[in-house]
């Protein structure tokens, strides 16, 4: 025991092996104690994350149903044939894409504006910085409730404010109206996701060379020119990374809209995850719901692939 | 480089007419003004929903029934909190949430610590695979994972138990916990460990006496992160817990919204406020550390 625990001490203490020997260091005795250190984390992850994921992908090709000891069998592409004929599926994915694109783009633009302001050395930072982070620390259920209070059709502050400003004279049922519900939840999505995006962009802005900025300003470059030629190229990798992540998170989002509208009215805010949840835990169609999940992965991968490929080509 | 030379050359051409500086000062002043207007806009957008929650939580039922609401309560009342505590299962739900979040935080950090150390110190294929998994796992929607987890927990007899929820949350928080801890480990100079090893300290001793104390702030921050993510989680809880006595606070709230909460806005707001307090509190304490930790993990990872 003593030796096996003590052995990794030799590894870091010994003179650094040349980088080319990386692979061997993971195979020797040092490798074995590495596994020993990794095991407590690795075991649960494999059992409750990797295995379920693989199993979930597989279930998408079966006719699995909810229930105790239900036998299920491989049914090939049958689920996907059904999906293609399911109008609700197409509607849900259309809504999901509208939601994910709108939220991601608005989130990015607003967060970029905020990050630039925070980086500009204005006063009021003590107030803005915590406010910009608070939505991140809140449960999505609470965020949904916050906005339900604002959107409340009777006695909600939004209707009262709009009526006070004479913009409208009727009580709008924001979350219950066929045409208003999706825009209304998109606003909430933007609010909830702004912190991560702002923090990431702010970190990116800190990498922008102040010297370059100063030089450009001395040369009479306007704010826009400086942003385009100095700031943007420097933060671009962060922008690509955070917008990709935001898109994936938004497309896979669940709790916020579930509490706000449960997908209603009339399925107008039925994001793919809500649709899949209903298929699995309301209708008990585990196979069909997993097939939906697989379809979501394909859509996300396709969109991300195009996006990242275009970004790579542009930066070359 | 090309940007610099380009700007240098345009600078020469621009020349300095006497009117230019004054015009630029005016522009700058207007620019600052515009920036402050935008900043106030952000403050309202980000802060108003929070203010409204506070205000609603302290309004009386009569005041909430009014069709023209006021920004602040006319008479402040704690009635909503009393109703929230007496008429709902809020105390039980808060206790459940606390048990689950605290257990998750402890278990996650304890099992992540050795792994984070190994991953950060011993560069190997394992590290690449782990970091790859953290990124790849983001792409898959929860629905793919939750059904097999549901079946698995059912087979283990852990469905509808807080233990089952903790197991899922630990696994769920692990990737990011590892990510953060790896950043903290990388920040500890290797030379310190090497020096201790030269002095003849055993590896265990080095870990306990040198690495652990230096890592402690990072461990606390990571634990807080795990706590918040478990406290806030909703989807897995919705699937795993069906017994009202075992509900976590977000579950209780979601159910309440669907039921009487849409009528009783006051108690709903009060419950929401109480539920969000712990994470806000932790967050305000650890804000700097959390943000720095997440960033360092992503920069050095």
């Amino acid at each position: 025991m003593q030796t096996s625990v003590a052995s990794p001490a030799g590894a870091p203490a010994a003179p650094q092996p040349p980088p080319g020997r990386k692979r061997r260091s993971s195979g020797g005795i040092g490798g074995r104690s590495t596994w020993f250190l990794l095991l407590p984390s690795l075991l649960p992850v494999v059992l409750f994350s990797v295995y379920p994921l693989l199993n979930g992908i597989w279930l998408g090709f079966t006719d699995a149903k909810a229930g105790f000891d239900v036998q299920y069998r491989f049914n090939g592409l049958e689920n996907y044939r059904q999906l293609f004929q399911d109008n609700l599926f197409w509607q849900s994915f259309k809504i999901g894409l509208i939601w994910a694109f709108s939220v991601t783009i608005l989130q990015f633009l607003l967060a970029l504006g905020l990050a630039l302001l925070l980086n500009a050395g204005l006063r009021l930072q003590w107030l803005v910085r915590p406010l910009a982070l608070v939505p991140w620390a809140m449960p999505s259920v609470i965020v949904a409730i916050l906005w339900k209070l604002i959107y409340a059709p009777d006695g909600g502050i939004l209707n009262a404010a709009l009526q006070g400003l004479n913009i409208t004279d009727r009580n709008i049922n924001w979350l219950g109206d066929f045409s208003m519900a999706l825009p209304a939840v998109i606003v909430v999505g933007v609010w909830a996701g702004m912190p991560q995006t702002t923090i990431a962009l702010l970190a990116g802005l800190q990498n922008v060379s102040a010297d370059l900025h100063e030089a450009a300003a001395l040369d009479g470059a306007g704010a826009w020119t400086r942003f385009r030629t100095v700031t943007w190229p420097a933060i671009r990798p962060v922008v690509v990374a955070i917008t990709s992540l935001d898109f994936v998170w938004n497309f896979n989002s669940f709790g916020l809209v579930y509490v706000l509208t449960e997908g209603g009215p009339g399925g107008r805010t039925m994001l793919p995850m809500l649709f899949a949840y209903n298929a699995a835990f309301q209708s008990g169609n585990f196979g069909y719901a997993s097939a939906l999940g697989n379809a979501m992965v394909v859509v996300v991968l396709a969109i991300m692939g195009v996006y990242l490929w275009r970004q790579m080509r542009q930066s070359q | 480089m090309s940007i610099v030379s380009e700007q240098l050359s345009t600078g020469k051409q621009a020349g300095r007419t006497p009117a230019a500086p004054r015009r630029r000062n005016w522009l700058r002043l207007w620019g600052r003004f515009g920036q402050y207007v935008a900043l106030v806009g952000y403050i309202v957008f980000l802060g108003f929903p929070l203010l409204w929650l506070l205000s609603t939580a302290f309004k009386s039922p009569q005041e909430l029934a009014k069709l023209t609401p006021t920004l602040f309560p006319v008479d402040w009342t704690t009635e909503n909190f009393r109703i929230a505590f007496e008429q709902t299962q809020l105390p039980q739900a808060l206790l459940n949430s606390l048990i689950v979040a605290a257990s998750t935080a402890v278990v996650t950090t304890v099992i992540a610590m050795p792994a984070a150390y190994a991953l950060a110190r011993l560069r190997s294929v394992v590290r690449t695979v782990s970091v790859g998994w953290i990124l790849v796992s983001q792409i898959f929607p929860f629905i793919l994972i939750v059904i097999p987890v549901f079946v698995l927990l059912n087979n283990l007899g852990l469905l509808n138990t807080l233990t089952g929820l903790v197991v899922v949350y630990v696994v769920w928080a692990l990737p990011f916990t590892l990510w953060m801890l790896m950043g903290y480990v990388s920040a500890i100079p290797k030379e310190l460990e090497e020096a201790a090893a030269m002095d003849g300290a055993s590896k265990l001793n080095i870990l306990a006496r040198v690495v652990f104390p230096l890592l402690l702030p990072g461990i606390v921050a990571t634990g807080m992160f795990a706590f918040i993510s478990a406290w806030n989680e909703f989807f897995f809880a919705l699937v795993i817990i069906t017994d009202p006595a075992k509900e976590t606070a977000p579950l209780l709230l979601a159910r309440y919204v669907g039921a009487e909460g849409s009528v009783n806005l006051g108690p709903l707001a009060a419950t929401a406020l109480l539920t969000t307090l712990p994470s806000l509190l932790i967050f305000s304490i650890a804000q700097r550390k959390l943000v720095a930790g997440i960033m360092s993990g992503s920069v050095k990872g």
Side-chain angles (χ1 to χ4, degrees):
Chain A
M1 197 63 204
Q2 188 61 38
T3 50
S4 77
V5 175
S7 58
Q16 281 295 301
R21 282 184 53 206
K22 261 183 196 168
R23 280 193 66 194
R24 269 189 60 195
S25 69
S26 71
I29 305 169
R32 201 180 302 155
S33 45
T34 306
W35 285 109
F36 181 74
L37 290 172
L38 286 177
L39 209 59
S41 289
L42 208 57
L43 210 63
V45 167
V46 168
L47 190 60
F48 286 97
S49 186
V50 178
Y51 159 74
L53 183 59
L54 296 176
N55 191 7
I57 294 171
W58 160 247
L59 280 180
F61 298 92
T62 70
D63 59 357
K65 294 261 191 292
F68 295 98
D69 287 327
V70 179
Q71 295 296 315
Y72 58 84
R73 56 179 183 79
F74 177 74
N75 68 355
L77 297 175
E78 172 61 21
N79 288 331
Y80 303 91
R81 203 184 55 75
Q82 275 184 42
L83 271 183
F84 264 84
Q85 292 167 351
D86 191 341
N87 277 332
L88 293 175
F89 159 77
W90 289 107
Q91 201 199 345
S92 161
F93 265 54
K94 201 182 95 193
I95 291 167
L97 287 175
I98 295 175
W99 151 273
F101 273 109
S102 324
V103 174
T104 307
I105 292 168
L106 290 173
Q107 233 166 34
F108 166 67
L109 292 176
L110 281 176
L112 181 63
L114 182 56
L116 285 170
L117 286 175
L118 285 173
N119 205 39
L122 302 177
R123 285 154 205 275
L124 290 174
Q125 299 256 351
W126 57 270
L127 179 61
V128 187
R129 271 179 197 264
L131 272 184
L133 292 173
V134 157
W136 182 76
M138 293 183 110
S140 54
V141 174
I142 308 274
V143 174
I145 289 171
L146 276 185
W147 285 87
K148 265 191 116 99
L149 295 175
I150 287 175
Y151 284 143
D154 301 310
I157 189 78
L158 186 58
N159 275 333
L162 290 181
Q163 282 165 15
L165 295 168
N166 282 325
I167 293 172
T168 176
D169 54 1
R170 67 193 178 92
N171 269 348
I172 301 170
N173 187 0
W174 296 97
L175 296 170
D177 187 282
F178 271 48
S179 55
M180 289 316 299
L182 187 56
V185 294
I186 285 173
V187 170
V188 184
V190 171
W191 191 86
M194 261 182 68
Q196 294 100 311
T197 318
T198 309
I199 296 170
L201 291 173
L202 202 53
L205 284 174
Q206 256 125 50
N207 291 335
V208 176
S209 149
D211 292 347
L212 265 186
H213 249 282
E214 226 162 273
L218 276 177
D219 293 335
W224 171 244
T225 316
R226 271 180 287 146
F227 175 76
R228 209 166 41 84
T229 54
V230 182
T231 311
W232 186 252
I235 62 171
R236 203 175 141 133
V238 178
V239 170
V240 173
I242 193 69
T243 45
S244 310
L245 272 175
D246 275 343
F247 182 80
V248 176
W249 286 334
N250 288 326
F251 192 68
N252 293 340
S253 131
F254 176 83
L256 207 56
V257 177
Y258 179 83
V259 177
L260 275 169
T261 63
E262 284 192 68
R268 290 305 156 101
T269 55
M270 188 64 81
L271 300 186
M273 260 298 279
L274 272 81
F275 188 51
Y277 170 79
N278 285 342
F281 295 100
Q282 306 287 325
S283 321
N285 289 322
F286 281 179
Y288 195 62
S290 301
L292 259 162
N294 286 339
M296 288 173 73
V297 175
V298 171
V299 168
V300 164
L301 283 180
I303 290 170
M304 295 262 292
V306 172
Y307 178 61
L308 293 177
W309 181 69
R310 283 190 51 186
Q311 290 300 325
M312 294 239 291
R313 266 200 2 174
Q314 274 181 29
S315 63
Q316 265 167 13
Chain B
M1 268 329 271
S2 65
I3 300 165
V4 182
S5 54
E6 210 177 282
Q7 274 157 359
L8 283 175
S9 64
T10 51
K12 268 178 216 150
Q13 285 166 9
R16 301 264 188 266
T17 55
R22 202 185 301 159
R23 215 182 117 241
R24 203 176 298 145
N25 273 344
W26 264 108
L27 268 178
R28 185 169 299 166
L29 216 65
W30 274 108
R32 270 282 128 127
F33 179 70
Q35 284 179 329
Y36 274 105
V37 170
L39 201 65
V40 170
Y42 276 110
I43 293 174
V44 171
F45 178 60
L46 291 167
F48 186 77
L50 305 170
L51 189 71
W52 188 241
L53 176 73
L54 264 174
S55 158
T56 310
F58 288 102
K59 277 180 182 174
S60 67
Q62 293 80 14
E63 219 177 304
L64 284 168
K66 270 194 232 155
L67 282 179
T68 46
T70 50
L71 191 51
F72 292 103
V74 179
D75 352 84
W76 295 72
T77 167
T78 51
E79 177 71 6
N80 294 323
F81 292 89
R82 196 185 56 76
I83 297 176
F85 260 103
E86 282 174 7
Q87 296 189 350
T88 69
Q89 296 188 313
L90 184 62
Q92 182 64 45
L94 286 174
L95 183 68
N96 290 343
S97 272
L98 186 69
I99 294 170
V100 169
S103 318
T104 303
V106 171
V107 175
T108 309
T109 34
V110 165
I111 66 176
M113 237 183 317
Y117 179 81
L119 289 175
R121 279 289 188 256
L122 311 165
R123 302 188 159 264
S124 68
V125 188
V126 187
R127 180 189 154 100
T128 319
V129 170
S130 313
V131 174
W133 171 251
I134 292 173
L135 290 176
V136 166
S137 62
Q138 300 289 315
I139 290 174
F140 295 95
F142 279 158
I143 192 75
L144 283 177
I145 298 169
V146 83
I147 295 174
V149 163
F150 180 84
V151 175
L152 198 63
L153 288 179
N154 191 21
N155 292 341
L156 295 172
L158 290 176
L159 202 63
N160 212 357
T161 65
L162 294 184
T163 316
L165 208 52
V166 171
V167 169
V168 174
Y169 285 175
V170 165
V171 174
W172 188 64
L174 255 177
F176 224 82
T177 313
L178 276 173
W179 188 266
M180 279 177 78
L181 276 176
M182 268 161 63
Y184 290 119
V185 174
S186 309
I188 298 173
K190 246 185 198 169
E191 291 73 26
L192 276 178
E193 289 176 56
E194 286 164 13
M198 298 275 249
D199 292 342
S202 75
K203 187 65 191 173
L204 261 179
N205 248 327
I206 296 173
L207 284 180
R209 301 255 171 98
V210 180
V211 178
F212 185 74
L214 288 171
L215 205 54
L216 199 58
I219 291 170
V220 171
T222 311
M224 284 176 165
F225 169 80
F227 184 95
I228 292 183
S229 56
W231 180 274
N232 290 354
E233 208 280 335
F234 173 64
F235 181 62
F236 283 114
L238 180 69
V239 172
I240 292 169
I241 305 290
T242 45
D243 179 357
K246 287 173 187 155
E247 271 178 349
T248 56
L251 272 185
L252 174 93
L253 272 163
R255 199 162 50 85
Y256 194 66
V257 171
E260 61 224 282
S262 45
V263 216
N264 284 326
L265 292 183
L268 177 69
T271 314
L273 194 60
L274 285 173
T275 304
T276 202
L277 274 184
S279 32
L280 281 187
L281 211 68
I282 289 184
F283 190 76
S284 56
I285 298 168
Q287 191 217 98
R288 244 162 240 274
K289 274 226 115 55
L290 278 176
V291 173
I294 291 161
M295 284 297 134
S296 76
S298 57
V299 171
K300 287 166 192 152

